[in-house]
Amino acid sequence: MAKLLLQVKHHFLLWLAGFKEACCFHRALFFCASSKILLRRTGQCFLLNGLIFLGSLFILRSFVIPILSWILPDQSDHISAMAFYSYLRSFLIHIFYVLWFYPLYIFSLLLGFLWYSDIAKYSFEVIKEQETSKTQPFDNSKKNEPEKSEGVDGLAIGIGEQVYSGLLLTIFFFEVFIADSLPFIGKATSFFLLSWMNAYYCFESKWNYSGVSLNSRLDFFESNWAFFAGFGSPSVIPGLFFSRLISNGIIGFLYPLFVLTAAGTQEKDIIDSLSRLNDGVQGRKIPIFYFSQRISTMVLHLFPSGQKEN
């Protein structure tokens, strides 16, 4: 019983540590002050998701809908006119969504992925330059990782890992969608799954640029699931209080900050220090990506040249 309580305490402290690290937004100021490209990319994300996307939603709900309700009121002397006004008002609002919000949402997603990758890349370069000036390695976890192969073979392995990782996360996203529709436990389950997915997105580019192999990333992530659940939680919390469109806009607005905090997080050192404080207790591994890995492997085997990555 005492051992179980120690495990629960250890995982709870890991979750708190991950949550705290995700909220270290002051690191973003350091990165943006150190790189003009990072400052520009972060500003572009704020502009697109904050001013344009969320601003459009604000204009729709604060001005467009009230004006339409005034021009096409719910109250009328004629029942047929009321029904027509309601239908016309609903039709115009849907047109606004179809012609503006949904294309803008898809555009922001596609452009956001490119900008987030740039943010992770240039934040890695900032830290690498800083650590090089101090004659220290960038990431202690890299000491135990083999260097990636160079040349044509290394390029092929890198591309293969990116394809497999993208497929794995796509399938994992559908798992989140399915979990959200489950009765009773759906919301809680999707909250944890979405926290893990967001945390993995934040750290993936950092690990990729650090030369950490895909297998090592997944093993480290699943072995320290509590820390990464805590790290991903702040990005999921807006979804508990706002509609899907608004919460996605808020997440897109804040996501560059989470990428930058992940770049500056020494996750292995934090996890090791908490383990030492708890008498060397190690977190138990949870196969978070088990089903995604199995399905990804099955999908890749459908192709003649598909090879099992994991």
Side-chain angles (χ1 to χ4, degrees):
M1 186 66 181
K3 187 176 180 180
L4 177 61
L5 290 176
L6 195 60
Q7 283 280 349
V8 172
K9 176 186 174 183
H10 178 64
H11 287 111
F12 178 69
L13 291 176
L14 282 175
W15 188 92
L16 282 180
F19 191 95
K20 178 184 176 182
E21 289 297 311
C23 296
C24 292
F25 295 141
H26 63 276
R27 293 175 185 163
L29 297 177
F30 162 75
F31 284 111
C32 291
S34 303
S35 172
K36 291 183 179 180
I37 300 178
L38 270 177
L39 179 61
R40 183 169 65 250
R41 283 287 182 265
T42 305
Q44 287 171 332
C45 290
F46 288 166
L47 178 65
L48 177 61
N49 294 292
L51 184 62
I52 299 178
F53 188 80
L54 291 177
S56 297
L57 277 172
F58 175 78
I59 291 173
L60 172 67
R61 299 190 176 187
S62 300
F63 296 99
V64 176
I65 292 179
I67 289 174
L68 287 177
S69 298
W70 178 68
I71 297 174
L72 305 170
D74 290 327
Q75 297 180 353
S76 177
D77 296 333
H78 303 284
I79 298 178
S80 58
M82 291 175 55
F84 175 74
Y85 289 164
S86 177
Y87 172 81
L88 184 58
R89 187 172 61 249
S90 177
F91 175 76
L92 291 175
I93 293 173
H94 279 87
I95 287 294
F96 197 85
Y97 273 94
V98 171
L99 297 181
W100 177 248
F101 277 116
Y102 295 141
L104 179 62
Y105 178 65
I106 295 174
F107 176 74
S108 64
L109 282 179
L110 296 177
L111 199 56
F113 281 127
L114 297 177
W115 287 347
Y116 300 149
S117 179
D118 284 347
I119 289 173
K121 175 183 176 181
Y122 292 116
S123 62
F124 173 80
E125 292 181 356
V126 168
I127 294 184
K128 190 175 180 181
E129 290 175 2
Q130 183 189 37
E131 295 294 336
T132 300
S133 65
K134 296 179 181 179
T135 65
Q136 294 178 354
F138 167 70
D139 189 356
N140 291 332
S141 63
K142 192 176 177 180
K143 293 178 182 178
N144 298 323
E145 296 293 339
E147 294 292 330
K148 285 191 174 182
S149 303
E150 297 181 353
V152 177
D153 291 340
L155 179 63
I157 293 174
I159 294 175
E161 286 190 347
Q162 291 301 313
V163 171
Y164 185 85
S165 178
L167 179 61
L168 183 143
L169 291 174
T170 300
I171 295 173
F172 192 80
F173 175 80
F174 283 106
E175 289 184 29
V176 177
F177 181 78
I178 294 172
D180 188 55
S181 62
L182 296 176
F184 305 112
I185 62 171
K187 294 298 181 182
T189 303
S190 64
F191 181 90
F192 277 101
L193 293 178
L194 198 55
S195 297
W196 281 323
M197 187 177 74
N198 289 348
Y200 188 86
Y201 269 125
C202 290
F203 282 91
E204 184 188 31
S205 295
K206 170 187 174 179
W207 291 334
N208 183 44
Y209 289 122
S210 301
V212 183
S213 67
L214 179 60
N215 286 337
S216 298
R217 294 178 222 168
L218 296 177
D219 181 71
F220 181 74
F221 192 94
E222 292 178 335
S223 298
N224 302 285
W225 55 269
F227 176 84
F228 293 107
F231 191 95
S233 293
S235 64
V236 184
I237 289 176
L240 300 177
F241 304 99
F242 301 100
S243 65
R244 188 176 297 274
L245 271 179
I246 294 178
S247 63
N248 286 340
I250 295 174
I251 292 172
F253 179 79
L254 296 176
Y255 195 76
L257 302 181
F258 294 125
V259 174
L260 292 174
T261 55
T265 299
Q266 298 296 325
E267 62 278 2
K268 189 175 186 301
D269 292 341
I270 295 171
I271 292 169
D272 289 343
S273 65
L274 286 175
S275 178
R276 289 192 296 269
L277 287 175
N278 288 278
D279 300 325
V281 175
Q282 298 291 329
R284 293 190 176 183
K285 181 177 179 180
I286 293 181
I288 299 169
F289 298 107
Y290 175 78
F291 291 107
S292 299
Q293 288 178 285
R294 293 294 300 270
I295 297 174
S296 298
T297 302
M298 293 171 58
V299 170
L300 291 178
H301 281 166
L302 296 176
F303 297 93
S305 58
Q307 297 294 327
K308 189 175 182 179
E309 287 285 337
N310 198 24

